[in-house]
């Protein structure tokens, strides 16, 4: 898929105020600092579209972008940032839960995990929740340029094996690097496939 046009639309805290659900929507989420903004900018080919986080855990809104006037890209606030207060965490949970359950045009959630790390409980729990609610999702392993390809593959295999302990079917996954612009075609082709 070629990206001809990518525009920021709006930020909301309530699913009711999101744009009319007339186009398929793809949401990106992960732990703070996982590389979500960098990935969104790489996918859309727009350097400053999503704000890279100078203050992790700060953006607590649902951010809508419209791509090629045919689909919505949503940048969701990250989780797992230690310094966030309990109050903010509860607010985050409520907002995200509502969004994930009520957003009728949500075609797929991209759950980002850092390809350098072994499986993390916070990510596994989040995906467990998505799976149990029947919300479609796939995984993206980010920052693949940070280590050797062999090391990345080992971490991916460890993750998949961990998930196979509790899942009949493991989610589809992609490996990306915003730095080296790899994995872009695979992710965009996947979106195009669903949009068809
Ligand atoms: P966010 O908090 O998930 O939106 O993460 P950011 O996109 O702001 O990235 C967090 C940090 O990781 C920044 O310092 C980025 O430059 C860095 N980063 C993000 N993606 C990559 C990548 O693919 N490769 C490398 N080497 N660094 C990355």
């Amino acid at each position: 898929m070629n990206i001809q046009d990518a525009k920021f639309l709006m930020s909301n805290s309530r699913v009711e105020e999101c744009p009319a659900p007339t186009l398929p929507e793809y949401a990106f989420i992960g732990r703070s600092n996982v590389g979500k903004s960098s990935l969104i900018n790489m996918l859309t080919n727009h350097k400053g579209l999503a704000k890279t986080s100078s203050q992790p855990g700060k953006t607590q809104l649902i951010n809508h972008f419209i791509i090629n006037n045919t689909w919505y890209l949503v940048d969701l606030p990250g989780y797992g940032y230690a310094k966030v207060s309990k109050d903010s965490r509860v607010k985050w949970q409520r907002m995200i839960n509502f969004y994930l359950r009520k957003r009728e045009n949500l075609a797929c959630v991209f759950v980002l995990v850092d390809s350098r790390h072994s499986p993390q409980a916070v990510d596994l729990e989040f995906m467990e929740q998505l799976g149990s609610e029947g919300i479609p999702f796939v995984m993206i392993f980010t920052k693949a340029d940070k280590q050797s390809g062999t090391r990345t593959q080992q971490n991916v295999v460890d993750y998949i094996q961990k998930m196979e302990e509790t899942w009949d079917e493991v989610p589809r996954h992609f490996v990306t690097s915003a730095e080296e612009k790899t994995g872009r075609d695979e992710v965009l082709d996947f979106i195009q496939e669903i949009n068809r």
Side-chain angles (χ1 to χ4, degrees), residues 109-156:
V109 179
F110 288 93
V111 180
L112 276 55
V113 297
D114 192 319
S115 67
R116 289 173 297 176
H117 300 155
S118 53
Q120 306 286 305
V122 67
D123 297 314
L124 291 167
E125 278 161 23
F126 181 73
M127 289 187 275
E128 193 75 54
Q129 192 195 334
L130 292 176
S132 68
E133 305 217 9
I135 298 163
F137 74 95
V138 296
M139 291 175 78
I140 294 189
F141 292 88
T142 62
K143 306 190 188 182
D145 60 283
K146 289 258 193 185
Q147 69 275 312
S148 71
T150 323
R151 182 77 223 149
T152 302
Q153 268 319 306
Q154 189 53 55
N155 286 343
V156 170

Side-chain angles (χ1 to χ4, degrees), residues 4 29 41 84 91 101 105 109 111-113 119 134 136 153 158 162 166-167 171 195:
Q4 281 119 18
I29 195 164
N41 293 340
V84 163
K91 272 194 199 142
R101 291 203 197 111
N105 58 331
V109 179
V111 180
L112 276 55
V113 297
Q153 268 319 306
D158 287 352
K162 183 81 195 158
T166 43
W167 300 68
N195 280 349

Side-chain angles (χ1 to χ4, degrees), residues 21-58:
T22 49
L23 297 173
E25 181 154 315
Y26 299 84
F28 291 74
I29 195 164
R31 303 177 84 175
S32 302
N33 218 35
V34 71
K36 179 167 50 77
S37 316
S38 306
L39 178 78
I40 291 172
N41 293 340
M42 186 268 270
L43 290 176
T44 57
N45 226 351
H46 275 58
K47 243 186 177 169
L49 194 68
K51 302 273 178 292
T52 43
S53 43
S54 50
Q55 288 175 290
K58 203 76 182 146

Side-chain angles (χ1 to χ4, degrees), residues 7-189:
K7 280 193 290 276
F8 169 73
L9 276 185
M10 58 170 86
S11 297
N12 281 299
S13 60
R14 288 158 52 85
V15 66
E16 294 85 352
E17 289 161 11
C18 289
T22 49
L23 297 173
E25 181 154 315
Y26 299 84
F28 291 74
I29 195 164
R31 303 177 84 175
S32 302
N33 218 35
V34 71
K36 179 167 50 77
S37 316
S38 306
L39 178 78
I40 291 172
N41 293 340
M42 186 268 270
L43 290 176
T44 57
N45 226 351
H46 275 58
K47 243 186 177 169
L49 194 68
K51 302 273 178 292
T52 43
S53 43
S54 50
Q55 288 175 290
K58 203 76 182 146
T59 26
Q60 293 293 325
L61 294 168
I62 301 165
N63 303 296
H64 270 83
F65 301 87
I66 185 162
I67 314 296
N68 291 351
N69 286 316
T70 51
W71 55 281
Y72 292 128
L73 184 156
V74 174
D75 182 3
L76 293 173
Y79 52 83
Y81 185 58
K83 285 188 189 151
V84 163
S85 67
K86 187 164 176 241
D87 190 40
S88 308
R89 206 164 301 159
V90 169
K91 272 194 199 142
W92 176 89
Q93 207 148 22
R94 199 172 298 150
M95 179 176 82
I96 296 297
N97 281 346
F98 265 112
Y99 169 81
L100 293 172
R101 291 203 197 111
K102 308 264 183 218
R103 190 64 175 158
E104 59 201 89
N105 58 331
L106 184 60
C108 189
V109 179
F110 288 93
V111 180
L112 276 55
V113 297
D114 192 319
S115 67
R116 289 173 297 176
H117 300 155
S118 53
Q120 306 286 305
V122 67
D123 297 314
L124 291 167
E125 278 161 23
F126 181 73
M127 289 187 275
E128 193 75 54
Q129 192 195 334
L130 292 176
S132 68
E133 305 217 9
I135 298 163
F137 74 95
V138 296
M139 291 175 78
I140 294 189
F141 292 88
T142 62
K143 306 190 188 182
D145 60 283
K146 289 258 193 185
Q147 69 275 312
S148 71
T150 323
R151 182 77 223 149
T152 302
Q153 268 319 306
Q154 189 53 55
N155 286 343
V156 170
V157 167
D158 287 352
Y159 229 110
I160 300 299
Q161 278 176 353
K162 183 81 195 158
M163 294 184 93
E164 279 172 341
E165 289 172 14
T166 43
W167 300 68
D168 293 336
E169 209 183 316
V170 293
R172 189 161 166 175
H173 66 269
F174 300 93
V175 176
T176 63
S177 158
E179 191 70 26
E180 294 183 341
K181 301 197 190 316
T182 50
R184 182 174 184 268
D185 289 347
E186 289 79 358
V187 174
L188 291 177
D189 287 351

